[in-house]
Amino acid sequence: MTTHATAPTSATEVITTGRRGRGPTPATGRRRRRTLFPYALIAPAGVMELLIHIIPMLLGVWIAFLSLTQLSIANWVAAPFVGLQNFITSLDPAGPIGSQFYGALLRTIFYTVVVVGIAWSLGIFAAVLLNSKFRGNGVLRTLFLVPYALPGFVTTIAWAFIFNQRDGMLNRLLVDDLGLLTERPFWLLGGNSLIVVIVVTVWQFWPFAFLMLLAALQSIPDEVYEAASLDGASLWKQFTGITLPMIRHANVVLLLMLSLWVFNQFDVPYLLFGPASPEEATLISPLIYQQSFNNWNFGVGGALSVLLLVVLLIASAFYIRLVMPKGQTIDD
Amino acid sequence: MKKSRNIRWAALAATAAVSTAALTGCGGTGGTGGSADPAELEGQTITYWASNQGSSISMDEEVLGESIDRFTEATGVEVELEVIPWPDLYNRILAAVSSGEGPDVLNIGNTWAVSLQSSGAFIPWEGDALEAIGGQERFVETSWATGGAEGQAPTSVPLYGLAYSLYYNTAMFEEAGIEEPPATWDEFIETAKQLTKDTDGDGEIDQWGFTLAGQRVSNNAHQAFVRGMQNGGELYTEDGQPDFTNDGVVAGVTQWLDLMDENGVVDPSNAEFTDGSQLPPELIDGRAAMMFDQAAGKTFAAAEFEDFGVAPIPMNSADATGKEGTQSHVAGINVSVFANSDAKDAAIAFVGHLTSDEEQKTLNAAYTSLPVVTSAMDDPAFDTPEMAAKKVTYAEHSQPMPLFPSEGQMETLVGEAIAGLFADIAQGEEVNEEDVRAALEDAQAQMPAS
C-alpha cells in the first residue's frame, strides 16, 4: 500500500465520511470486523443448534398436523394433512388417548415436584455438610458423585434387578432377612412402580444438585458466617438468612434445569419397564414414545410432543417471571 | 449477559429445545433390482441386520458368520453383519424406514410383513428379483403366504419357519406319574394343577405347572390369536376391521389369563417377565413344568438340558380342525431388501444364498427352526421329536396372523392390554370376562382408522 487515508478525528467525521460514499476507512473496517468477529465465533454453534434442535423441533410440530403412520412413514413429506385432528384426539378426555394424556400429565407434574424436591433437599444437605472442612471430606465428595459418574443405563438396569419381585435384593431384605413383610410386593408393576421411578430418578439427579450447590456455597466468604456467628445467629438462621439468599441465583437455574430434565424423563421408565410403562407410572415422554413407536401413530405422538412443549414453555415463563422480577440482574 | 430478560429468553429457548421429542426423517423408494452376473458383484459390500435367533448373540454371529463366509467366497461380496436383539429390532427398522438410512438386507418377524410392506420401503419380490432366488415354487406355500398382503407381490421372503409347541420337563412329569403330555385344554389345566405344588413343605408353592412371560407383548398377542381362534373368534373381520371384543377372542384371552388367575398354575412373579428367554431356565431349574415356545430346543441344548419333551399346543377338543384346531400362528422370520439399497443386486444375491437349499438346512438345523423351502424339509436334521412336532403343527394346525396393514399396532395394543391384566392378577385383583372385554375395547379404540 502506498497511499494512506487520514484517520478521522471523531465519530462524527467517520459518519460524515461514510455518507459521502467514499468507502470504509481502516478504522471503520476494523470496527466492522470487531463487530462481526463475535458472530463468526458463535456461527458454528448457531448452525449446529439449528440442525440439532430448531429444525427437528419445527419438523416435530409439522408432524403433529399429519396423519403419519407406517403407511406414510417412508415418504412422510406426502403424508395426509389432517389439521388439528391429532390435537383433538390427544385432548379428548373421553377418548383412550386423551384420558391417558391427562393422567400422564398430572402424574408427571407430581413426579417432577417430588423428584426435584427430594433431589434438591439431598443436594443442599450434602453441600452444606461438605462445605466445611473435616477429615474424610474428599472421600465423601467422591462418593456422592458416583451416581452421576456412572452410566445411567447401567445403574437403572441394576435398580430393576434390585426391585425384581421374586429374586430382587429389596424383597429379600424386607421379607427374608428383616421379616418386615410376609408377602413379596411387586415394585415394577402397579402403584409401586411410580415410587420406583421416583427413587431411581432421585438417585440419578441429586448429585448434580449437590455439585451445583456446593460450587455456589464456596463463593460465600467465610467472614459472613463468622460475623453472623459473633452476632449470635443460630445455624438455622445462618442457613435461611445467609446461605439461601446468597445462592439464590444458582438455585433459580438449578431448579429450572432439574425440572425440565425430570419432566422430560424417558430413560429411567424405559429401562425399568420396557417400551410400555405400567399405567400407574406412565409419564408424558414414555406416552409420546408409546404412541409414536409402539402404536405407529406418529401424528398423535407429534401432537403430544407439541402439547408438552406448550406446557413446559408456559410453566417456565411463569417460573422465570415469578422468581426473577423484571429488571433484576443475575449478579446483583 | 447480565440482564434477566436475556436469561429469560435463554431459558425459554432451552425449554423448547429440551422438551421437543422431534421425529425427523426423509424418505425415498427405488425400483426392484434384478439378477446380476456374479462377476459384477465382486468387491461390493452390503450390510445385514439379523434377528437374534440363537441362544445368544455370539451364537448368531458364529452361525451366520460361517454362512456369510461361504457367500463371500462364492461371490466376492463382503457382508457386514449386525445381530439385533428382538426388543430393539422393530424400532431399528422403523427408524431405518423413516430415515431412508438402513441396511441392505434385514430380518423381520413375519407377522410384521404386511405392516412393513405398506411402508413401501422394501423391494417387491417379483420379476428378476424373484427369479434370482429361484422362484416362488421353491418355498413352502404356508411360509410364502406370510411375505405380504394377499394379492400383492410380497416384500419379504421367508427365512426360518417356526410354530408354537408345548415344552415340558419330562423328569417332573415322571415324578408326578404323568405319562402323556396333555392334548386338550382341560387336560392341560389338570396336568398343570397336578404339577403345581410345595415340594419342600414350607407352606409355599415352589413348583408351578406352567410358566409364561406376562409382559411380553408379542407373545400375549399370539396367544390372543390362537386361543381366540380355538374359541371360534378372530381379531379382525373379513374386511380388515379390528374386532377384539367378540366372544371368541374374549373367551380365549380369559383362558390365557386364568392360568395365573382362576387356575393358579402360574407363579404370579411371571407377570414381571418381559422376555421369552426367561422361560427355559424355569424348566431347567425345576421351577415350572411346562411352557409354550417356538424353538426352545437350542436353548436347552446350550444348557445341556435333556429332560424335556415336545408336544402340540393343547386344543379345546383333541380332534379339532380348521379354525378351532389352531395351535400356532404361522410363525417365523422373513428377510427383506431395502428399496434404498445401493447394492440391490448383491443384496438379492445374498437373500438367494440364505434361502438356498444347503443354507436352509444348515441355518434351520442350528436354530431348531423349520426350513422354508420344500426340498430341505425332508432332511434328517428335521426329524428330531422337537422338529417333527413342529412340522405337524406348522403344516396342519397353523394359521397366518391377520394379513392387514394394522397388524403391527394390533399386536402391540392387544399384547399391552393383556400385560396390564396380568399385572392386575399378580397383585391380587380378580379379572373376569367383562374386565377382559373392557381392556380389549380400550385397545381397539386406539387402533388407527382403516
Side-chain angles (χ1 to χ4, degrees):
Chain A
M1 296 281 279
T2 53
T3 56
H4 297 276
T6 306
T9 54
S10 68
T12 316
E13 195 176 338
V14 172
I15 294 164
T16 313
T17 310
R19 278 179 184 162
R20 283 175 189 158
R22 287 160 67 184
T25 64
T28 54
R30 272 199 301 277
R31 191 166 300 165
R32 188 170 297 164
R33 276 198 297 277
R34 212 175 295 141
T35 314
L36 291 177
F37 187 61
Y39 294 104
L41 283 178
I42 61 164
V47 171
M48 295 308 285
E49 176 65 18
L50 203 65
L51 291 175
I52 294 168
H53 282 140
I54 308 297
I55 292 176
M57 192 173 73
L58 293 176
L59 286 174
V61 172
W62 176 241
I63 282 169
F65 295 93
L66 304 178
S67 171
L68 191 60
T69 64
Q70 85 272 18
L71 299 172
S72 48
I73 191 73
N75 188 16
W76 64 269
V77 178
F81 182 82
V82 292
L84 293 172
Q85 187 53 51
N86 290 326
F87 290 96
I88 294 167
T89 304
S90 303
L91 291 170
D92 175 12
I97 296 172
S99 61
Q100 284 181 50
F101 170 69
Y102 290 114
L105 182 64
L106 292 175
R107 199 175 296 117
T108 308
I109 291 169
F110 170 77
Y111 158 81
T112 304
V113 170
V114 173
V115 169
V116 173
I118 298 175
W120 183 87
S121 302
L122 288 173
I124 190 73
F125 177 77
V128 170
L129 184 73
L130 296 187
N131 195 36
S132 54
K133 292 185 180 69
F134 61 91
R135 200 179 169 87
N137 183 306
V139 176
L140 278 179
R141 279 188 195 191
T142 312
L143 205 63
F144 286 173
L145 289 175
V146 165
Y148 198 61
L150 287 172
F153 182 87
V154 176
T155 51
T156 309
I157 297 283
W159 278 108
F161 285 130
I162 290 170
F163 285 113
N164 180 276
Q165 189 260 355
R166 189 172 69 185
D167 307 311
M169 227 160 66
L170 181 66
N171 277 354
R172 281 190 183 235
L173 184 74
L174 294 176
V175 181
D176 301 339
D177 300 337
L178 301 177
L180 295 174
L181 299 172
T182 50
E183 298 267 321
R184 290 171 184 272
F186 282 92
W187 297 102
L188 299 172
L189 299 175
N192 287 344
S193 53
L194 185 60
I195 297 172
V196 171
V197 190
I198 289 172
V199 168
V200 179
T201 318
V202 167
W203 154 270
Q204 283 195 359
F205 282 101
W206 85 266
F208 178 74
F210 159 66
L211 199 64
M212 295 289 286
L213 293 169
L214 183 63
L217 286 179
Q218 287 176 344
S219 67
I220 304 175
D222 288 344
E223 293 77 14
V224 183
Y225 289 107
E226 284 165 11
S229 192
L230 286 173
D231 288 343
S234 65
L235 285 175
W236 178 249
K237 190 74 186 164
Q238 288 179 35
F239 177 71
T240 54
I242 299 170
T243 308
L244 287 182
M246 293 194 80
I247 61 167
R248 181 164 180 265
H249 292 301
N251 264 332
V252 168
V253 178
L254 174 67
L255 290 175
L256 180 67
M257 288 174 75
L258 276 180
S259 301
L260 291 175
W261 287 342
V262 172
F263 201 93
N264 281 298
Q265 185 55 241
F266 174 78
D267 301 0
V268 169
Y270 185 85
L271 290 168
L272 285 172
F273 310 121
S277 297
E279 192 185 340
E280 296 85 344
T282 300
L283 305 175
I284 281 285
S285 291
L287 180 68
I288 292 169
Y289 174 87
Q290 278 170 232
Q291 287 301 327
S292 300
F293 292 97
N294 291 2
N295 301 347
W296 296 25
N297 203 339
F298 299 96
V300 167
L304 292 171
S305 295
V306 172
L307 291 172
L308 171 64
L309 173 70
V310 171
V311 167
L312 283 181
L313 277 175
I314 293 171
S316 301
F318 269 105
Y319 174 82
I320 292 166
R321 189 152 287 275
L322 284 175
V323 176
M324 296 174 76
K326 199 175 178 182
Q328 193 174 359
T329 58
I330 191 78
D331 56 352
D332 61 3
Chain B
M1 195 182 288
K2 254 185 158 186
K3 293 291 177 188
S4 59
R5 180 175 296 181
N6 291 340
I7 293 162
R8 283 191 199 105
W9 277 111
L12 284 174
T15 310
V18 170
S19 64
T20 300
L23 306 160
T24 62
C26 58
T29 55
T32 305
S35 54
D37 183 347
E40 290 173 15
L41 303 177
E42 190 157 358
Q44 293 190 32
T45 299
I46 57 171
T47 49
Y48 174 39
W49 284 359
S51 49
N52 175 205
Q53 297 303 129
S55 54
S56 64
I57 299 280
S58 57
M59 178 194 171
D60 283 310
E61 286 171 346
E62 191 184 326
V63 170
L64 291 171
E66 288 169 7
S67 177
I68 286 168
D69 288 346
R70 290 190 285 275
F71 176 67
T72 305
E73 199 177 321
T75 61
V77 175
E78 297 287 336
V79 180
E80 290 175 0
L81 169 71
E82 184 181 356
V83 181
I84 301 176
W86 274 104
D88 300 331
L89 184 61
Y90 195 60
N91 284 346
R92 292 283 299 272
I93 294 172
L94 276 187
V97 169
S98 57
S99 67
E101 297 292 327
D104 299 286
V105 180
L106 82 164
N107 287 6
I108 64 168
N110 70 3
T111 60
W112 309 337
V114 181
S115 296
L116 291 173
Q117 179 183 40
S118 58
S119 74
F122 305 104
I123 67 159
W125 292 93
E126 58 189 357
D128 289 345
L130 184 55
E131 198 181 306
I133 59 168
Q136 177 183 337
E137 298 72 25
R138 288 184 59 239
F139 292 85
V140 176
E141 206 179 323
T142 330
S143 311
W144 185 263
T146 64
E150 218 172 313
Q152 293 179 36
T155 52
S156 65
V157 172
L159 180 60
Y160 311 126
L162 291 162
Y164 275 102
S165 296
L166 166 70
Y167 289 80
Y168 59 97
N169 182 315
T170 50
M172 290 162 85
F173 267 54
E174 203 173 311
E175 195 186 15
I178 303 166
E179 291 175 0
E180 293 288 327
T184 67
W185 195 255
D186 288 341
E187 287 173 19
F188 169 64
I189 302 296
E190 278 315 303
T191 307
K193 282 182 177 171
Q194 213 175 323
L195 290 160
T196 300
K197 54 189 175 188
D198 168 18
T199 58
D200 57 11
D202 69 352
E204 282 186 18
I205 294 170
D206 48 27
Q207 177 187 299
W208 298 86
F210 187 70
T211 182
L212 53 80
Q215 298 301 305
R216 195 174 184 217
V217 168
S218 61
N219 187 51
N220 284 335
H222 297 159
Q223 292 307 320
F225 171 73
V226 170
R227 302 240 56 77
M229 292 285 265
Q230 286 196 12
N231 285 282
E234 293 189 41
L235 290 159
Y236 281 82
T237 58
E238 277 181 14
D239 60 347
Q241 297 303 314
D243 185 20
F244 305 164
T245 56
N246 65 69
D247 291 345
V249 171
V250 172
V253 172
T254 307
Q255 272 185 336
W256 180 238
L257 291 162
D258 273 348
L259 291 172
M260 184 182 287
D261 192 9
E262 195 175 305
N263 305 314
V265 295
V266 173
D267 184 351
S269 71
N270 288 189
E272 267 187 8
F273 286 11
T274 54
D275 192 0
S277 66
Q278 291 171 281
L279 304 184
E282 299 290 297
L283 257 68
I284 294 169
D285 298 340
R287 285 195 292 259
M290 295 184 281
M291 60 181 247
F292 295 164
D293 199 280
Q294 294 178 17
K298 58 182 185 289
T299 311
F300 291 139
E304 297 178 353
F305 176 71
E306 292 174 353
D307 294 337
F308 75 94
V310 186
I313 299 288
M315 299 183 288
N316 283 346
S317 65
D319 55 356
T321 55
K323 188 159 83 174
E324 282 75 13
T326 305
Q327 292 173 323
S328 174
H329 69 289
V330 180
I333 309 306
N334 288 5
V335 60
S336 291
V337 169
F338 245 96
N340 278 349
S341 168
D342 292 329
K344 256 184 233 135
D345 288 336
I348 290 167
F350 184 58
V351 173
H353 167 77
L354 292 173
T355 53
S356 66
D357 294 352
E358 279 312 305
E359 292 303 318
Q360 277 291 295
K361 289 175 194 167
T362 312
L363 295 174
N364 284 295
Y367 290 139
T368 59
S369 49
L370 292 170
V372 294
V373 293
T374 49
S375 60
M377 198 61 104
D378 295 329
D379 191 89
F382 306 107
D383 285 340
T384 62
E386 182 186 12
M387 301 308 283
K390 216 187 304 279
K391 263 201 266 190
V392 174
T393 302
Y394 197 74
E396 297 170 23
H397 290 279
S398 295
Q399 303 280 347
M401 286 290 272
L403 297 170
F404 299 110
S406 62
E407 198 278 343
Q409 287 99 322
M410 179 278 289
E411 277 201 31
T412 302
L413 290 164
V414 169
E416 284 176 3
I418 297 173
L421 292 168
F422 269 127
D424 293 342
I425 294 166
Q427 293 171 96
E429 281 184 40
E430 279 182 24
V431 170
N432 58 31
E433 277 203 0
E434 283 318 301
D435 299 320
V436 173
R437 197 181 299 278
L440 291 173
E441 206 165 69
D442 197 42
Q444 187 170 312
Q446 293 180 65
M447 288 288 284
S450 304

